Amino acid sequence: SPPWLAAAYPQHRWQSLRGCALRVDGAAGAGLDLEASEFGYIIDGVDPVPGQDPALVPGVVLLEISGRCLHGFSDDDCLEAAFGENFRDGARLVVARLDELRSARTERRDQAAALADDDLQSSCAEDSSAHEGMDIPEEVILEHGHIVVTPICRAAELQSAGHDAVSALRRDLEAFADRH
């Protein structure tokens, strides 16, 4: 799988991930009915002309075109531009089924929630002084992994914040994950 996909869904073992070539006819175009989504372009329909690869069927998502990631765009215009810049006959596509992408997203959320629970429980035994002098980055953004690291507070501070504050933070992080 592409490095950006492995970074976005590190524990998932892809079953439907495929590579193929896009066919574009000068008169008929690609013959694909596409819908923009957070995952990339979802194929809603395929016309018989120009005769697409058998991997391109309704319910499949175009994740990458000619090495350009289409996954994770929140703005349809940006997605359209990324796709349009690489739209041509023979362009290499990376595709996967929409249902598998949704399942991978759910797995990622469940893993993140389990890790957060483990971290919170283990932090009970930690002293806040253990974090002093740590070099914590202000913010790190990785282009294809869509990973943002923003320190919120030290583990001991989070532990003393109370159940309501921790629940609110968890809801906020889940809402953020839904959008990205």
Side-chain angles (χ1 to χ4, degrees):
S1 67
W4 62 264
L5 188 62
Y9 306 98
Q11 302 298 319
H12 191 75
R13 301 292 173 249
W14 296 98
Q15 302 299 312
S16 67
L17 190 66
R18 302 281 183 271
C20 63
L22 179 66
R23 294 185 185 131
V24 179
D25 178 81
L32 296 174
D33 183 16
L34 303 174
E35 177 186 342
S37 80
E38 65 186 280
F39 298 114
Y41 274 119
I42 302 168
I43 298 176
D44 286 336
V46 182
D47 293 339
V49 175
Q52 292 297 344
D53 188 282
L56 300 180
V57 296
V60 164
V61 180
L62 307 181
L63 298 170
E64 186 178 285
I65 182 169
S66 297
R68 178 68 163 103
C69 175
L70 302 174
H71 181 277
F73 283 99
S74 58
D75 183 312
D76 291 353
D77 291 336
C78 292
L79 176 62
E80 185 177 331
F83 182 76
E85 290 169 2
N86 295 285
F87 181 80
R88 67 181 175 284
D89 189 50
R92 295 298 307 161
L93 300 174
V94 174
V95 301
R97 293 207 43 85
L98 177 60
D99 57 346
E100 185 175 10
L101 284 157
R102 287 180 174 153
S103 176
R105 179 182 59 193
T106 301
E107 289 170 14
R108 180 182 66 191
R109 286 185 190 149
D110 291 348
Q111 291 163 358
L115 287 173
D117 287 343
D118 290 347
D119 288 347
L120 185 58
Q121 290 172 3
S122 67
S123 71
C124 292
E126 288 183 16
D127 178 12
S128 64
S129 64
H131 298 288
E132 289 180 16
M134 289 181 64
D135 185 23
I136 300 174
E138 289 297 317
E139 185 174 71
V140 177
I141 302 173
L142 301 179
E143 180 181 355
H144 295 295
H146 306 284
I147 298 170
V148 177
V149 177
T150 305
I152 298 168
C153 63
R154 301 201 186 291
E157 294 167 358
L158 183 60
Q159 180 61 32
S160 65
H163 184 313
D164 291 340
V166 171
S167 294
L169 175 61
R170 186 170 283 140
R171 281 191 307 275
D172 289 345
L173 291 173
E174 286 172 358
F176 178 80
D178 285 341
R179 292 186 191 119
H180 301 284

